[in-house]
């Protein structure tokens, strides 16, 4: 399988520059030199906690934000600075908050027609035909087209959001926490719908979430982000069965599981390094149970360890399979 | 603290510079020949020549500005041809009277505005709230120059409690009591609108704050209702009310123009109105510059107060 | 699975209907009535002014020195004449015409120019915004009317110049207001969505942002028109606006002032007219704001009182309160009353927590779990919340009967709270140490320094590193996890017997959540405190709760021991709620979506509220009250056709 999208050394720095008095403004790197490949037809899950840069990454992938350095290639074509329109033709986005991603003063028809008109340049008969098919595809009724967003529940609004993304006929959809704002009973509806659409339309997903169980259930491959970089990348099952990076291990061990009561956890205060003044070396070192002197000197590169070429981690002292303890899920 | 003040002062410099440019441009923007426009009926050929030299009208605008601003910084605002005196002398003499009037009005407005707003919010939908809301509505709708006339007719003419005009009694006046006596009517008139605005915003801010989660926390801690309202809610509301007081200072300084005219209070406002009628442009220029600069400084103080109250703004 | 999803299409919210259900409370009614009064007054004045040319009026400029200063109601001159013998009534109507025309024109100019600047600056951001706003700041640096005076000084006195001056002076006001709204909107996700739909910046500004800004422009306009009329009249009053013989209301007032003491009515009448115009416009403006501002419309600005209102004639269950239980709630009913609608947020809730026990209250949003928890100590905002029935038993005492003083004593004392979002629930302006000290001293008669030592100990207890230094930290200076630890410390300050925790870990990251859960579990065991733990997550429940109560549409539908419920619940809703969530370590598990949506709590169906979504529903489920009964083991459920062990749903 060749890479559909290639992301190379992507960084995004906020702030910086100089004030009128010549002093430098503080700057913050939200994404720090990130490389990833997206293969056609896969669902790449991106997990991480708040402040890890996953949303900034998502926005760069669809052109809503421009990378400070690095490149994004789509089928070999460099689209890093091509802008939203060029990317939007092939990469679409589903927002976390379904209600606020729909303009309160436009009907669903206007919202869904916009990509067909501005990106595909379709004539009105063709748009009408596609609109009808589209709403049915996301399990909504055709008469909903004339209604306004506030008349819909969160789950319905999110399906409209998905329909809006599909209207542009993209190859890739970036899903930024698509079910986090929804009630649990509605989450399943949306996840099942996404699953069906993916098969029917041969889509490729980037699924961003903080919820490990959701990511595990939808992803074919998973990337774990910490402090602006990918610390581990692997086929989903492999990673959840036996992670390499201690941070992944911590994440998996922290997720609450129905019917399981955890033993004593380490007394970790869970503070991220100061993003304005990052320490040298591995950013996880201050919290890491396996930390050694070399971790604080240089940043470990993301590379394959002893689990085959697909399973990579950015760690000098990766976990062995036997080291996993205290997080055995019930079978 | 000093760091904050220094920072705000630094930020105020560009505003002051911009302000001086606008005021300076007043002359350049006058349609026709400025010297004739400024001098009007005093335009003897010597005067025109002298003024043209004073203003440096033969030079480029930036050069004129530099010459003007360096004069201003040394206290040279030019000469009033109508009154035949240096502008700076007249303005400073008048400005203290305006400051007294506006200051008194602002203090009245702040005290009564905050009180009315808090009472109104705490007794929301009660009789007190409805009465205050109605009075406030009348207060912000009434033309102050008209209100001033009514107060004169009632308090000065009918019951003769306060003098109708001026700042001091013509015979034997001048003491602090006398000035205070003269100050009451104009200060109250000037304060009415600002009181209304501050009361309205305080009420809204209090109601907004009272529905915040941290007020629920304060109640959940078992604090007394008085402490919840007057410490937790009021302090948070004050943060959004202070900039409004800063803005009201501008309205009060501006509104003083009417009040000084109505009550013949010897302030900058009344002076400006006369100067405009007489096309005494240099005097207008000086007056506007001094009042505006003092307003900028006042807002700076409001800004510092707000930062001290709300450390998140640092 | 797909069929289940297709079936989910109930009606979308009856949006329009809901809006009309919003409070037609007394206050809003009065407001609207005032606005109507304003409309009538302004309507009459505008109509008269417009009709001035066809009304049988004297020539407003015809002087008559012989008939000067005629008093009110004199013959031929109802409002008398002025110092030049001109008819005051005629001049008043013609003057009002001029004042209205100038005021409205100035407002429209200011609104159009100011809004355009605000829109462009707000949307473009960056340098464009900076330059434009610095210029606007320059204009704002002048005291309001002073700038108008300066402009008139340049342009020379005259009505049109006064109009320009007033318009220019008000431009910054619009620009700043509209810019603020535009910045907020430009960051909204629907604007990003529009960009992703291929729209260019101008199109987004016109078709996505402007329609959302328009209400604000209208509100700002309606609240400033009055001001602008007032200020133009003011300039004329000073002799800088309308020049004789032309007259507007301001110049009439100014001229009349010269004969104030001999003929006061000549200046008082035009002043009264200005006042009426401005007041009616302000009334209308307030009305428009109330209608267009969604926050005011929903009545959200009502002030919550110290304690939830409790109906004196509420229904009280006959059964006695369990004296041994820490918490024994019986048939608690909390309603939200908005207009004529009654939302039964908690519709008869029974809860029992033994000493030192942790009960998980689980449900989806809108199920009434938070309302139930907040009702216990009267923290449901009132209006619109009302406790309409039931007993709230705390160690044998009915809190619904307790006086306010007793409630205050218990709050933060024997019963404490931990809320969801610690950034919003801690006071943003006070250091966390002060807030802790305050909590301690509200219940213990000790000095400040002693309380400070205690507060520091509490911070150490919740394992905050370097507690002495953190005492002085403001909430925003701490991370989410540390802030929640502070909240927990505050809840523990006075050795509570019951801790009510409302989704305390929902806003936290997973690794932080794990630590906070562990901390809470340890501390409650050490201190033998009972906990009511509200959450939507069965995983969290498993970590900390011995028993669970599942809530649906305002009632408990199932309760029992955590392990039993999770393994084999009897209520179909509980089963479906567990099955629809992906579980770590079981990626292949099929996710069964729950079809449909809960019924709105102001229109609950008879019988079981879940019947419409339940695959096991039968005719008898749709009538009568279904009681919460013991089923098997520790499980009690509100269901006529409960699941048997090993039985699947379909």
């Amino acid at each position: 399988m060749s890479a559909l999208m290639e992301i190379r050394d992507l960084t995004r720095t906020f702030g910086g520059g100089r004030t009128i008095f010549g002093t430098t403004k503080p700057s913050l790197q939200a994404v720090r030199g990130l490389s990833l490949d997206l293969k056609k037809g896969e669902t790449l899950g991106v997990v991480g906690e708040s402040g890890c840069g996953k949303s900034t990454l998502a926005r760069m992938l669809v052109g809503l934000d421009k990378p400070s350095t690095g490149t994004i290639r789509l089928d070999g074509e460099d689209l890093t600075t091509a802008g939203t329109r060029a990317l939007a033709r092939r990469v679409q986005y589903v927002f976390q908050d379904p209600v606020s991603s729909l303009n309160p003063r436009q009907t669903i028809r206007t919202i869904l027609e916009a990509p067909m008109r501005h990106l595909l340049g379709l004539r009105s008969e063709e748009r009408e035909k596609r609109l009808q098919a589209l709403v049915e595809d996301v399990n909504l009724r055709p008469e909903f087209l004339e209604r306004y967003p506030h008349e819909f529940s969160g789950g319905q609004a999110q399906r409209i959001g998905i329909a809006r993304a599909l209207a542009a006929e993209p190859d890739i959809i970036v899903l930024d926490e698509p079910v986090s704002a929804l009630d649990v009973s509605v989450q399943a509806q949306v996840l099942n719908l996404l699953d069906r659409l993916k098969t029917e339309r041969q889509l490729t997903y980037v699924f961003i979430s903080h919820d490990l169980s959701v990511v595990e259930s939808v992803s074919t491959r998973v990337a774990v982000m910490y402090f602006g970089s990918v610390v581990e990348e692997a086929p989903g099952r492999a990673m959840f069965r036996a992670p390499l990076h201690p941070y992944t291990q911590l994440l998996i061990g922290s997720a609450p599981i129905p019917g399981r009561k955890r033993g004593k956890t380490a007394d970790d205060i869970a503070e991220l390094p100061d993003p304005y003044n990052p320490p040298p070396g591995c950013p996880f070192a201050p919290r890491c149970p396996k930390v050694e002197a070399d971790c604080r000197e240089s940043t470990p590169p993301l590379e394959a360890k002893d689990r085959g070429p697909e399973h990579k981690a950015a760690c000098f002292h990766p976990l062995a399979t036997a080291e996993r303890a205290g997080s055995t899920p019930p079978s | 603290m000093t760091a904050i003040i220094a920072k705000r002062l630094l930020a105020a410099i560009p505003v002051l510079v911009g302000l001086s440019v606008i005021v300076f441009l007043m002359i350049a923007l006058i349609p026709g020949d400025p010297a004739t426009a400024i001098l009007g009926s005093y335009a003897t050929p010597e005067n025109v020549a002298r003024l043209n030299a004073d203003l440096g009208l033969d030079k480029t605008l930036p050069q004129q500005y530099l010459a003007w601003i360096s004069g201003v910084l040394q206290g040279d605002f030019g000469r009033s041809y109508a009154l035949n005196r240096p502008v700076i002398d007249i303005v400073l003499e008048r400005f203290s009277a305006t400051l007294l009037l506006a200051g008194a009005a602002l203090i009245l407005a702040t005290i009564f505005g905050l009180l009315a707003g808090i009472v109104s919010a705490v007794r929301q939908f009660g009789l007190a709230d409805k009465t205050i809301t109605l009075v406030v509505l009348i207060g912000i709708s009434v033309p102050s120059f008209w209100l001033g006339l009514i107060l004169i007719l009632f308090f000065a003419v009918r019951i003769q409690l306060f003098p109708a005009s001026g700042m001091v009694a013509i015979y034997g006046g001048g003491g602090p009591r006398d000035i205070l006596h003269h100050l009451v009517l104009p200060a109250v008139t000037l304060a009415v609108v600002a009181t209304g605005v501050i009361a309205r915003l305080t009420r809204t801010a209090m109601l907004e704050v009272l529905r915040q989660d941290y007020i629920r926390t304060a109640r959940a801690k078992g604090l007394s209702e008085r402490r919840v309202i007057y410490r937790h809610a009021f302090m948070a509301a004050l943060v959004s009310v202070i900039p409004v007081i800063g803005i009201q200072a501008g309205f009060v300084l501006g509104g003083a123009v009417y009040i000084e005219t109505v009550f013949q209070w010897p302030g900058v406002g009344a002076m400006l109105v006369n100067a405009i009628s007489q096309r005494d442009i240099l005097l207008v220029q000086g007056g506007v510059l001094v009042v505006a600069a003092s307003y900028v400084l006042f807002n700076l103080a409001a800004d510092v107060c707000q930062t001290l109250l709300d450390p998140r703004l640092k | 699975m797909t069929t289940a999803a297709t079936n989910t299409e109930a009606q979308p919210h009856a949006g329009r209907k809901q809006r009309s259900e919003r409070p037609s409370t007394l206050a809003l009614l009065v407001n609207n009535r005032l606005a109507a009064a304003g409309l009538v007054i302004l309507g009459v004045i505008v109509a008269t002014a417009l009709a001035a040319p066809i009304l049988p009026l004297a020539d407003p400029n015809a002087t008559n020195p012989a008939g000067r200063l005629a008093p009110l109601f004199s013959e031929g001159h109802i409002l008398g004449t002025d110092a030049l013998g001109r008819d005051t009534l005629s001049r008043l109507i013609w003057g009002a015409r001029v004042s209205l025309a100038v005021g409205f024109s100035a407002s429209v100019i200011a609104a159009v120019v100011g809004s355009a600047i605000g829109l462009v600056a707000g949307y473009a951001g960056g340098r464009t915004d900076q330059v434009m706003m610095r210029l606007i700041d320059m204009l704002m640096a002048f005291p309001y009317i002073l700038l108008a005076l300066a402009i008139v000084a340049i342009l020379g006195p005259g009505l049109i110049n006064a109009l320009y001056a007033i318009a220019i002076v008000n431009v910054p006001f619009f620009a700043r207001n509209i810019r603020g709204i535009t910045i907020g909107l430009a960051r909204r996700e629907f604007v990003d969505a529009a960009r992703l739909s291929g729209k260019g910046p101008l199109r987004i500004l016109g078709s996505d942002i402007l329609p959302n800004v328009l209400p604000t422009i209208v509100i700002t306009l309606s609240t400033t028109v009055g001001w602008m009329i007032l200020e133009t009249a003011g300039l004329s009053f000073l002799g800088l606006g309308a020049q004789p013989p032309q007259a507007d209301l301001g110049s009439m007032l100014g001229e009349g002032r010269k004969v104030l003491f001999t003929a006061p009515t000549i200046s008082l009448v035009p002043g009264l007219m200005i006042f009426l115009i401005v007041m009616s416009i302000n009334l209308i403006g307030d009305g428009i704001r109330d209608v267009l501002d969604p926050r005011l419309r929903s009545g959200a600005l009502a002030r919550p009182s110290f304690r939830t209102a409790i109906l004196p004639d509420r229904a009280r269950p006959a059964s006695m309160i369990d004296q041994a239980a820490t918490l024994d709630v019986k048939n608690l009913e909390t309603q939200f009353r908005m207009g004529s609608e009654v939302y039964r947020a908690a519709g008869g809730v029974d809860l029992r927590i033994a000493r030192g026990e942790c009960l998980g209250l689980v449900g989806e949003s809108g199920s009434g779990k938070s309302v139930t928890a907040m009702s216990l100590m009267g923290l449901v905002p009132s209006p619109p919340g009302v406790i309409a029935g039931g007993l709230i038993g705390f160690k044998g005492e009915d809190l619904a009967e307790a006086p306010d003083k007793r409630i205050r004593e218990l709050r933060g004392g024997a019963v404490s709270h931990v809320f969801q979002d610690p950034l919003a629930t801690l006071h943003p302006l006070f250091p966390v140490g002060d807030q802790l000290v305050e909590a301690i001293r509200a219940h213990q008669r000790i000095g400040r320094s002693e309380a400070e030592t205690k507060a520091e100990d509490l911070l150490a207890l919740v394992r905050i590193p370097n507690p002495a230094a953190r005492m002085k930290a403001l909430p925003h200076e701490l991370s989410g996890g540390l802030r929640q630890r502070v909240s927990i410390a505050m809840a523990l300050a006075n050795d509570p017997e019951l801790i009510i925790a409302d989704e305390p870990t929902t806003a936290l990251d997973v690794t932080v959540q794990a630590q906070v859960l562990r901390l809470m579990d340890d501390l409650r065991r050490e201190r033998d405190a009972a906990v009511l733990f509200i959450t939507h997550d069965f995983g969290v429940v498993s970590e900390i709760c011995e028993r669970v109560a599942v809530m649906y549409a305002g009632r408990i539908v199932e309760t029992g021991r955590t392990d039993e419920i999770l393994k084999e619940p009897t209520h179909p809703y509980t089963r479906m709620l567990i099955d629809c969530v992906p579980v770590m370590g079981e990626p292949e598990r099929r996710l069964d979506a729950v079809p449909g949506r809960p019924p709105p709590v102001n229109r609950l169906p008879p019988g079981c509220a879940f019947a419409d979504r339940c695959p096991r529903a039968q005719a008898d489920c749709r009538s009568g009250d279904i009681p919460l009964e013991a089923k098997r083991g520790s499980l009690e459920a509100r269901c006529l056709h409960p699941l048997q062990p090993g039985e699947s749903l379909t």
Side-chain angles (χ1 to χ4, degrees), chain A residues 49-50 59 85 92 103 105 139 141 147 151 156 159 183 185 192 216 237 259 261-262 268 271, chain C residues 1 9 11-13 189-190 192 196 198 211-212 364-365 479 509 511 515 521 542-543 585 588 594:
Chain A
E49 299 182 273
S50 51
R59 291 176 62 83
R85 258 182 85 97
Q92 275 292 329
N103 190 333
R105 293 187 187 268
N139 303 326
R141 289 209 302 255
R147 302 207 171 133
E151 300 179 43
Q156 289 171 330
R159 277 181 275 154
D183 257 318
S185 72
N192 291 337
E216 187 191 20
R237 306 284 179 275
K261 189 164 166 70
R262 178 189 356 252
D268 160 31
E271 296 290 285
Chain C
M1 200 185 314
E9 291 330 309
Q11 281 294 310
H13 287 300
E189 292 178 335
F190 69 76
D192 283 342
L196 290 170
N212 285 292
E364 297 181 79
S365 57
S479 68
D509 276 323
T511 56
Q515 298 145 21
D521 198 35
S542 308
E543 292 285 343
E588 312 298 345
V594 186

Side-chain angles (χ1 to χ4, degrees), chain A:
Chain A
M1 259 198 293
S2 65
L4 178 60
M5 189 186 242
E6 283 177 15
I7 302 158
R8 288 291 171 270
D9 305 317
L10 211 58
T11 60
R12 178 69 176 98
T13 311
F14 293 106
R18 283 171 187 281
T19 64
I20 47 168
F21 301 113
T23 55
T24 42
K25 293 183 195 160
S27 72
L28 174 158
Q29 263 196 333
V31 173
R32 9 182 101 231
L34 183 144
S35 301
L36 266 179
D37 281 344
L38 188 60
K39 300 184 187 93
K40 190 164 172 44
E42 74 173 342
T43 297
L44 174 68
V46 177
V47 261
E49 299 182 273
S50 51
C52 73
K54 56 187 192 300
S55 285
T56 310
L57 171 68
R59 291 176 62 83
M60 288 193 289
L61 294 186
V62 293
L64 285 174
D65 202 347
K66 284 208 167 74
S68 305
T69 62
T71 53
I72 299 172
R73 281 175 207 280
L74 204 58
D75 277 338
E77 186 188 354
D78 189 346
L79 291 175
T80 318
T81 52
T84 320
R85 258 182 85 97
L87 274 165
R89 211 17 222 96
R90 303 201 50 199
V91 189
Q92 275 292 329
Y93 195 84
V94 173
F95 295 88
Q96 170 171 7
D97 183 346
V99 178
S100 82
S101 67
L102 304 175
N103 190 333
R105 293 187 187 268
Q106 288 176 347
T107 59
I108 304 310
R109 173 187 296 279
T110 318
I111 292 171
L112 294 185
E113 261 187 334
M116 298 184 185
R117 186 189 297 210
H118 303 294
L119 287 172
L120 304 181
L122 296 177
R123 303 166 61 87
S124 82
E125 315 87 72
E126 179 63 20
R127 290 203 301 259
E128 190 53 39
K129 220 168 73 197
R130 291 204 188 182
L131 271 178
Q132 300 296 335
L134 194 57
V135 283
E136 269 176 42
D137 232 10
V138 295
N139 303 326
L140 293 168
R141 289 209 302 255
E143 62 261 37
F144 288 6
L145 282 174
E146 314 309 327
R147 302 207 171 133
Y148 286 89
H150 71 266
E151 300 179 43
F152 295 94
S153 69
Q156 289 171 330
Q158 192 59 297
R159 277 181 275 154
I160 296 166
I162 292 169
R164 191 196 53 73
L166 291 176
E169 306 273 322
D171 302 314
I172 302 173
I173 299 185
V174 176
L175 303 141
D176 187 3
E177 305 260 11
V179 297
S180 312
L182 306 177
D183 257 318
V184 283
S185 72
V186 184
Q187 284 186 6
Q189 293 171 8
V190 172
L191 291 176
N192 291 337
L193 173 70
L194 285 172
D195 192 39
R196 195 194 82 216
L197 290 170
K198 186 184 164 190
T199 329
E200 284 177 6
R201 302 190 168 225
Q202 282 126 44
L203 294 165
T204 304
Y205 286 159
V206 178
F207 193 105
I208 292 167
S209 179
H210 69 279
D211 187 332
L212 276 93
S213 53
V214 170
V215 166
E216 187 191 20
S217 76
V218 301
S219 308
T220 47
R221 217 154 55 87
V222 179
V224 180
M225 283 184 74
Y226 186 75
F227 203 61
S229 334
V230 174
V231 295
E232 184 161 2
E233 184 191 329
R237 306 284 179 275
M239 176 176 304
F240 285 94
R241 211 177 306 123
L244 282 171
H245 200 287
Y247 175 64
T248 314
Q249 161 96 338
L250 175 69
L251 270 185
I252 295 173
S254 300
I257 297 174
R260 188 195 74 179
K261 189 164 166 70
R262 178 189 356 252
K264 208 82 178 157
T265 46
D267 215 22
D268 160 31
I269 51 140
E271 296 290 285
L272 285 172
D274 178 5
Y276 289 99
N277 190 16
C282 174
F284 188 62
R287 295 170 67 181
C288 185
K290 294 198 60 167
V291 66
E292 286 180 37
D294 52 348
C295 299
R296 303 188 197 273
E297 277 153 24
S298 60
T299 311
L302 183 67
E303 56 192 12
K305 303 288 175 189
D306 58 348
R307 312 269 174 82
E310 292 284 284
H311 196 160
K312 301 180 209 168
C315 184
F316 291 130
H317 311 284
L319 300 160
T321 320
E323 275 185 86
R324 302 181 61 237
S327 58
T328 319
S331 45

